Amino acid sequence: MKSQPKAPIAQRLADECLTLYRIMLDGCRQIELLRDNAFGPGVADRSVSELLEAKKETEVAVDRILASVEKLMATDCSDADSVRQAINVNCMAIYEACTFQDITGQRISKVLHSIRVAGAALESLHGLWSGSLVAGPSAAGLSSEADSLLNGPALSGEGLDQDEVNRLLTANVGR
């Protein structure tokens, strides 16, 4: 039984070049979709501005809430009418300050949409690169998920809860 002759080297190189061309063309299409859907002109800057504005709105609301609580705590409790009035005025101020959540929620939703679209496009690009003959884009310099947890609060259900932290700190104080 004769073995099939191997394709000439020129044909194999041509096939590999064609495969690479298709992968790069698919990658370019994915990048174009990413640019059009998530990060068109000004979208990244707009997303940063939305987050900064949400942060500012949150800070203002928290300041208003804390000021109202401080006023409530400073209320002279010897006069029932003044207590009732202080409670009504300051609770209304707290209630009004809490409306920030709706606006910040809308701002953050816009940013989340852009991040989700970008993430989907990047996953698709990763799939193109990981299945190709060439190595994908370098991940050098990107921190691991564990490293990223060192830079901020954990998500719900991750990390230690406050009671556990307190227990650990209390246990180590005597050492």
Side-chain angles (χ1 to χ4, degrees):
M1 188 186 268
K2 287 186 176 179
S3 64
Q4 273 246 351
K6 292 186 178 179
I9 193 161
Q11 182 62 47
R12 286 192 319 206
L13 286 173
D15 291 344
E16 286 184 25
C17 285
L18 187 57
T19 299
L20 288 172
Y21 169 77
R22 288 181 181 136
I23 290 169
M24 293 184 71
L25 185 61
D26 286 343
C28 289
R29 287 183 188 131
Q30 290 297 324
I31 290 170
E32 188 63 27
L33 285 173
L34 174 64
R35 189 187 68 76
D36 289 345
N37 293 328
F39 288 107
V43 173
D45 289 337
R46 176 69 184 205
S47 293
V48 169
S49 295
E50 292 282 359
L51 288 175
L52 290 173
E53 193 65 28
K55 180 181 180 285
K56 184 172 70 173
E57 290 165 349
T58 302
E59 289 169 351
V60 167
V62 168
D63 288 344
R64 288 177 61 195
I65 291 168
L66 290 175
S68 293
V69 169
E70 288 172 356
K71 288 177 187 175
L72 278 172
M73 291 176 69
T75 301
D76 178 15
C77 294
S78 63
D79 180 18
D81 287 335
S82 67
V83 170
R84 188 174 17 264
Q85 183 178 359
I87 290 172
N88 286 338
V89 167
N90 289 295
C91 284
M92 184 55 71
I94 291 170
Y95 182 75
E96 288 171 359
C98 287
T99 61
F100 81 95
Q101 190 277 333
D102 181 49
I103 301 297
T104 57
Q106 291 175 35
R107 293 184 189 284
I108 292 170
S109 291
K110 290 178 189 178
V111 175
L112 289 174
H113 173 73
S114 292
I115 291 170
R116 284 186 181 115
V117 170
L122 291 173
E123 285 293 322
S124 179
L125 280 172
H126 176 72
L128 288 174
W129 288 113
S130 64
S132 70
L133 298 175
V134 297
S138 173
L142 296 177
S143 63
S144 68
E145 184 177 341
D147 290 340
S148 70
L149 293 176
L150 299 175
N151 296 320
L155 296 173
S156 297
E158 293 180 353
L160 301 175
D161 65 13
Q162 190 61 47
D163 291 337
E164 181 68 10
V165 171
N166 293 341
R167 188 188 66 70
L168 289 171
L169 291 174
T170 304
N172 289 319
V173 169
R175 289 184 188 192

